[in-house]
Amino acid sequence: MSKTFYVTTPIYYVNDVPHIGHAYTTIAADVIARFKRLQGNKVFFLTGTDEHGQKIERTAESNGEKPIELADRVVKRFQNLSDALNITNDDFIRTTEERHRISVEEIFRRVEKAGDIYLSEYEGWYDVRNEAFITETQLEEIMDLPEEKRPIIEKVKEESYFFRLSKYQEPLLEYYKDHPDFVSPSYRLNEVVKFVEGGLRDLSISRTTFTWGIAVPGNPKHVIYVWFDALTNYLTGVGFPDNEKMLNANWPADVHLVGKDILRFHAVYWPAFLMSAGILLPKKVFAHGWWTVEGEKMSKSVGNVVDPYQVVEEFGADVFRYFLMREIPFGQDGDFSKNSIIARVNGELANGLGNLVSRTLGMIEKYFDGKVPEPGELKDEDESVRTKALSSVELVEKEMDEMAFHKALVSLWDFIGDVNKYVDESAPWILAKEKNEERLGTVLWTIVQAIGVVTILIYPFMPESAEKIWERLGSSQPLNSKLLSDAKEWGIVKSGQTVEKGQSLFPRFENK
Ligand code: ME8
């Protein structure tokens, strides 16, 4: 069986409800998954929730509920969000599932068998919010921060199993050297290399002072460290350890999408665990940037955490998806604000795309009774639209391969701009007045082909709007049966199809 393109999101903690940061990673993964499918690939797309650990145990305790009750309640919010955002994940993994326990125990045993686990005592600091052990260097950095910015850390002293991370310092550095694409963007790889070069100490991978987690095989006094548990989800989701067929069809993952906050866990610890267990490493870890909201860091205490459900309610899932992918280069930080969304809706969606579609279909209704006309002889300016369409498809493909979503959208909107210009210059309304029916038919046919190409290309970003446009174009075949290769064929919208102008695709918003 040919290998799928396997893409993952982080699994989200259930101590808190989803916010736009979670929506962002999941939408980006969905855009990749949909685009890969459009290119004709089989795709496996995994997301889920991280339900164990001290933080969840404490949150549940303070709510007066059991950790599993908390998880069962909050997981629904994450699962429903997938529907609200039109996410096409193939599976949703919860770390409290039986299949995951089996998988984590197996990895633990393999790492142990490799001689990389030993029992000792951990004495040091622990950051419960980030579920992270704090090294000496990190402790110094924390102490340099102003008090209000310091994470809450606690002194821990307990018996613990350790993973021989130090043994993997050189193998990791070698791996980064041989696989410069392992971490993207490249400036993030530099940070990772620097961190590893700074020296790796063995990593505590079990705790004894709480119980909410997976027990260490053979020593149930110990709970496996939540990151060891969580990272393994990427294997559990594709059938590890028993479903070899599924595993071979999907592993290694093509890309783990993560926020920059958790890059170290994915680019240092995870590959070290896998090397130890004798399992192939994922091909890439992509660390994206961080969103602020109206210029401020999102935080519960500031009270500015944005609820993705509310954004969907106000603007619709497609506008939300488009904005997140268009606003900032994937990898960099950015700011989320209503005015920026509105500016993009009004300028790019309503004026650019919406206007092109509605005036074109309106003219076909008016001049050709709603039937896509036959083209006559093509002139240079018509051929030039076709050439631009083809080069846009190729450009978007290249930019999507680099996960430069914003660039892909800029290229697409450049093309939309070119087509709008072609409409203005060809002035079909004048051709209609002059009763030049053949030329009028050729121009409208050309524009409608361009709209067909745009529809296929925006499908991964704005699935609902693409479906709507496709329907209005009157094709008898569903949009999801189309591939990118079809977009390269000029003539995807057939003469004789009945189009419908319909209501405005992207209503304008007033600035707030
Ligand atoms: O870290 N901007 O879960 P988590 C952009 N369970 N993205 C953001 C964001 C923001 N302001 N805030 C959060 C965990 N994210 C672990 C992961 S994986 C094996 C275990 C996104 O619920 C971003 O993807 O804290 C970040 O990495 C993730 O949410 C953290 O989610």
Side-chain angles (χ1 to χ4, degrees), residues 167-214:
K167 181 174 143 185
Y168 291 92
Q169 177 165 347
E170 285 313 314
L172 281 170
L173 289 171
E174 204 143 296
Y175 192 84
Y176 304 142
K177 208 163 89 201
D178 294 344
H179 303 83
D181 291 334
F182 177 61
V183 174
S184 286
S186 53
Y187 52 87
R188 296 274 173 223
L189 176 65
N190 298 341
E191 288 171 20
V192 170
V193 169
K194 240 180 163 171
F195 174 79
V196 176
E197 278 173 350
L200 291 179
R201 299 239 312 246
D202 290 350
L203 180 72
S204 167
I205 51 161
S206 78
R207 306 283 312 273
T208 55
T209 42
F210 66 94
T211 56
W212 182 235
I214 297 171

Side-chain angles (χ1 to χ4, degrees), residues 38 73 118 130 140-141 268 390 398 433 466:
L38 201 57
R73 190 164 52 76
Y118 61 92
N130 290 308
E140 283 168 22
E141 285 167 9
V268 182
L390 194 62
K398 179 181 151 284
K433 240 190 224 157

Side-chain angles (χ1 to χ4, degrees), residues 10-13 19 21-22 24-25 50 55 227 230-231 233-234 258-262 266 288-291 298:
I11 49 171
Y12 306 113
Y13 287 129
H19 58 64
H22 304 125
Y24 182 50
T25 320
D50 189 353
K55 177 165 60 173
W227 273 101
L231 289 160
N233 92 85
Y234 302 129
V258 299
K260 62 180 184 180
D261 53 322
I262 56 172
H266 285 81
H288 66 65
W290 207 241
W291 286 92
M298 224 181 344

Side-chain angles (χ1 to χ4, degrees), residues 5 7 9 26-38 43-47 79 81-92 321 459-460 463-464 467 480:
F5 185 91
V7 52
T9 73
T26 304
I27 288 172
D30 189 58
V31 170
I32 295 173
R34 285 174 180 271
F35 197 82
K36 286 287 165 188
R37 287 190 205 108
L38 201 57
V43 169
F44 193 81
F45 168 15
L46 184 70
T47 185
Q79 287 168 335
L81 187 65
S82 287
D83 293 336
L85 298 172
N86 280 316
I87 304 300
T88 55
N89 53 302
D90 294 284
D91 199 354
F92 186 102
R321 292 171 64 111
Y459 190 36
E464 274 175 39
E467 294 270 13
N480 67 10

Side-chain angles (χ1 to χ4, degrees), residues 117-133:
I117 290 181
Y118 61 92
L119 191 61
S120 181
E121 186 174 73
Y122 178 79
E123 186 174 1
W125 296 90
Y126 193 74
D127 171 350
V128 179
R129 210 183 84 73
N130 290 308
E131 297 281 12
F133 295 95

Side-chain angles (χ1 to χ4, degrees), residues 275-287:
M275 281 178 181
S276 169
I279 297 173
L280 289 173
L281 269 49
K283 291 187 200 156
K284 184 189 278 301
V285 179
F286 194 107

Side-chain angles (χ1 to χ4, degrees), residues 397-408:
E397 231 174 341
K398 179 181 151 284
E399 288 158 345
M400 289 301 287
D401 272 345
E402 293 162 4
M403 286 188 226
F405 307 121
H406 74 296
K407 279 196 195 163

